[in-house]
Amino acid sequence: DSSIEIIESTDSGETWDKSTRRTAYKSNYGVNDPSLTLLSNGKLLLRFVALNIEDDYNKIENRKIFSHRSEHGLVTNVLGNLILESTDMGKTWDELSMANSDIIGPSCSRDPIIELPDQSLLLPVYTGAPQRTDISWVIRSFDGGKTWIEPIRIMSDENGRFSQLHGINYNETSLLYLGNGEILAMVRSDEAFHTENEFMPVGGIGKINAAKSFDSGLCWTKPKDVGIWGQPGSVIKLKSGKLLCTYGYRKKPFGIRACISRNNGSDWDIDNEIIIRDDSPTWDCGYPFSVELNDNEIYTVYYIVDDEGTRFVSGTKWTLND
């Protein structure tokens, strides 16, 4: 019974006008992990995962089970990443495509589509769990997102061919185009599924690994441990030329953190890790995205849980000090 909702701010996130809140998408599917991309032609793309959630296995359209929550009597399978398009800055939306590949099947994502200089598009996706460890892929479109082709593997752990518990799960991946065909991938790399002795039924915990491509995403370097512990990460380039990665922190003190790179992601200043929030009462928080408002003035949005157990979306405006 979930939906994708939109709300607008006209003062850089200080206030949010309830009258602008509207539903971008609602159907019989479960939907989650939305992200937005503003294209150079002025169109907006909205990407989110569509899930088939049933109380009867026989109703499942695709027989590969993604989740069986027996305590709730629910069985889930992934339908794929549904792409919507808006030509009026998000006032109205049209379905554009289900971004699946015949080669790897239905996939998940939580991250934005990125646009390359020739207006081609790259979408980071992942497949695998729970039957095997997640594999991070990128798929591409040459027609504005109507069709998606040629999945390219970014990271995988072949120790986990038979179970997500046997190796590293490489999944939610943030992409950043650095110029001249160079792309940075910051990849969530889960190795454990317990934090503070509590099992996390969907998702795990671990570090963020990085990889680079020098040919617009056709091949990638080996995974590199950059020293960041968190899940998942979101990377942007600041006006100063530095990179900013924000991420959830799912061990005590739970919250939202950030880190800076001064050399296009080759190294990260983890010794000066930035704590944005450390007051979440539970590990169930994170999934941040950040934008730079003015020079070194950052707005980070994420979800968090209050002391009453209510999950909500929040934002923090903060200043990055050199």
Side-chain angles (χ1 to χ4, degrees), residues 22-310:
R22 57 197 179 274
T23 299
Y25 186 85
K26 185 173 179 63
S27 73
N28 293 327
Y29 299 137
V31 290
N32 64 17
D33 294 343
S35 63
L36 287 167
T37 301
L38 177 61
L39 301 179
S40 58
N41 61 12
K43 294 181 179 180
L44 273 175
L45 296 183
L46 168 61
R47 180 220 51 78
F48 53 88
V49 178
L51 303 167
N52 194 26
I53 304 170
E54 300 286 356
D55 58 6
D56 181 355
Y57 168 75
N58 293 316
K59 296 178 183 177
I60 293 291
E61 296 178 7
N62 182 318
R63 296 308 174 103
K64 183 180 185 295
I65 297 176
F66 170 69
S67 172
H68 179 197
R69 300 295 293 275
S70 57
E71 65 274 28
H72 302 306
L74 296 174
V75 179
T76 301
N77 76 302
V78 176
L79 299 177
N81 285 282
L82 187 57
I83 312 296
L84 306 188
E85 180 184 71
S86 176
T87 58
D88 56 10
M89 292 305 293
K91 299 295 187 296
T92 60
W93 295 91
D94 297 309
E95 289 190 34
L96 188 63
S97 64
M98 184 72 82
N100 285 337
S101 163
D102 291 338
I103 297 174
I104 62 174
S107 58
C108 293
S109 182
R110 85 105 194 185
D111 293 278
I113 297 163
I114 68 166
E115 183 179 26
L116 300 184
D118 62 355
Q119 296 187 313
S120 61
L121 306 175
L122 295 183
L123 170 58
V125 300
Y126 63 93
T127 61
Q131 291 88 342
R132 63 149 297 145
T133 49
D134 281 323
I135 300 171
S136 172
W137 309 85
V138 64
I139 56 178
R140 71 188 63 229
S141 174
F142 289 102
D143 57 8
K146 296 182 181 68
T147 57
W148 297 87
I149 63 167
E150 198 171 8
I152 302 295
R153 188 178 305 230
I154 300 175
M155 290 184 194
S156 64
D157 184 353
E158 292 312 298
N159 290 323
R161 286 179 298 155
F162 304 112
S163 169
Q164 69 172 352
L165 304 178
H166 289 186
I168 301 173
N169 287 268
Y170 296 114
N171 43 57
E172 293 158 330
T173 299
S174 181
L175 298 179
L176 179 65
Y177 184 72
L178 298 172
N180 297 318
E182 184 177 351
I183 301 172
L184 172 67
M186 299 291 280
V187 184
R188 177 176 177 173
S189 309
D190 293 340
E191 295 186 77
F193 292 85
H194 287 81
T195 185
E196 308 299 330
N197 295 319
E198 183 179 353
F199 177 70
M200 296 178 287
V202 179
I205 55 172
K207 296 181 178 180
I208 295 174
N209 275 268
K212 281 190 175 181
S213 172
F214 301 96
D215 55 9
S216 298
L218 293 178
C219 67
W220 295 84
T221 60
K222 293 180 180 179
K224 178 182 178 180
D225 179 355
V226 295
I228 297 175
W229 193 97
Q231 53 282 148
S234 177
V235 61
I236 61 171
K237 190 163 192 173
L238 303 177
K239 297 172 185 177
S240 65
K242 293 179 287 191
L243 304 190
L244 172 70
C245 183
T246 46
Y247 43 92
Y249 196 78
R250 290 182 166 180
K251 59 184 177 182
K252 290 182 178 179
F254 306 118
I256 314 298
R257 301 194 178 197
C259 200
I260 288 291
S261 172
R262 297 175 177 83
N263 56 6
N264 273 345
S266 295
D267 300 289
W268 292 85
D269 189 5
I270 195 64
D271 290 337
N272 293 296
E273 187 177 39
I274 300 157
I275 300 175
I276 300 172
R277 294 278 297 264
D278 64 355
D279 59 343
S280 176
T282 171
W283 62 265
D284 191 9
C285 64
Y287 280 65
F289 290 108
S290 294
V291 294
E292 185 177 20
L293 302 175
N294 299 300
D295 290 350
N296 288 334
E297 186 182 31
I298 312 297
Y299 191 83
T300 300
V301 64
Y302 47 86
Y303 85 90
I304 201 162
V305 178
D306 65 18
D307 290 332
E308 304 299 320
T310 300

